[in-house]
């Protein structure tokens, strides 16, 4: 079984920064495609960004482009989301997700594509 644990969330003012981490265990980390998702109360889970084992990345929503950076350190079995210039609309529970690379079908920005999920870390941005 693959275990994913997010950390790094918190409360910040608009314009501030946070760095989220997702630690993976249970199997070979580098064999997984991974992504970050977020969800606010009453809303569906939204893809934020995804990253392949070699570091190739994709940003899923226009609103985060230029502000968020996804990365991974395979040696540490950890994925990161650096979030700069945070805005109130970024407020959400942020989730880490993973799927074996050979089992990824469809859009990597969609939740249905992923098999494993972390418990989430809360990000709150005040105006």
């Amino acid at each position: 079984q693959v275990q994913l644990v997010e950390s790094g969330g918190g409360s910040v003012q608009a314009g501030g920064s946070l760095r989220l981490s997702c630690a993976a265990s249970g199997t070979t980390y580098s064999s997984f495609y991974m992504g970050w998702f977020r969800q606010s109360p009453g809303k569906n889970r939204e893809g934020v960004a995804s990253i392949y084992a070699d570091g190739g990345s994709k940003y899923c929503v226009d609103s985060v482009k230029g502000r968020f950076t996804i990365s991974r350190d395979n040696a540490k079995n950890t994925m990161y989301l650096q979030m700069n210039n945070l805005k109130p609309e970024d407020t959400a529970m942020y989730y880490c997700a993973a799927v074996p690379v050979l089992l990824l079908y469809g859009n990597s920005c969609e939740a249905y594509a992923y098999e494993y999920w972390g418990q989430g870390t809360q990000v709150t941005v005040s105006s």
Side-chain angles (χ1 to χ4, degrees):
Q1 285 290 326
V2 175
Q3 305 289 333
L4 303 175
V5 180
E6 303 95 334
S7 62
S11 298
V12 299
Q13 292 186 320
S17 298
L18 288 171
R19 180 179 169 91
L20 306 184
S21 298
C22 172
S25 63
T27 190
T28 302
Y29 174 82
S30 61
S31 66
F32 283 78
Y33 202 106
M34 303 188 70
W36 286 101
F37 290 77
R38 63 187 183 185
Q39 187 170 20
S40 300
K43 295 184 179 294
N44 292 327
R45 195 163 296 187
E46 175 185 51
V48 177
S50 61
I51 188 166
Y52 191 59
D54 66 357
S57 61
K58 177 170 65 177
Y59 295 90
C60 301
V61 291
D62 289 341
S63 62
V64 310
K65 295 177 180 177
R67 299 189 298 120
F68 291 9
T69 303
I70 189 171
S71 62
R72 65 191 292 167
D73 186 337
N74 291 341
K76 296 182 178 180
N77 290 345
T78 303
M79 177 180 66
Y80 305 96
L81 185 67
Q82 178 67 47
M83 304 186 294
N84 297 325
N85 192 24
L86 284 161
K87 302 177 180 180
E89 54 262 41
D90 296 318
T91 295
M93 184 74 73
Y94 282 72
Y95 296 91
C96 172
V99 62
V101 294
L102 296 180
L103 297 181
L104 176 65
Y105 297 98
N107 192 337
S108 62
C109 290
E110 297 290 339
Y112 72 79
Y114 292 85
E115 183 175 358
Y116 302 102
W117 294 85
Q119 82 290 342
T121 185
Q122 178 67 40
V123 171
T124 302
V125 184
S126 60
S127 61

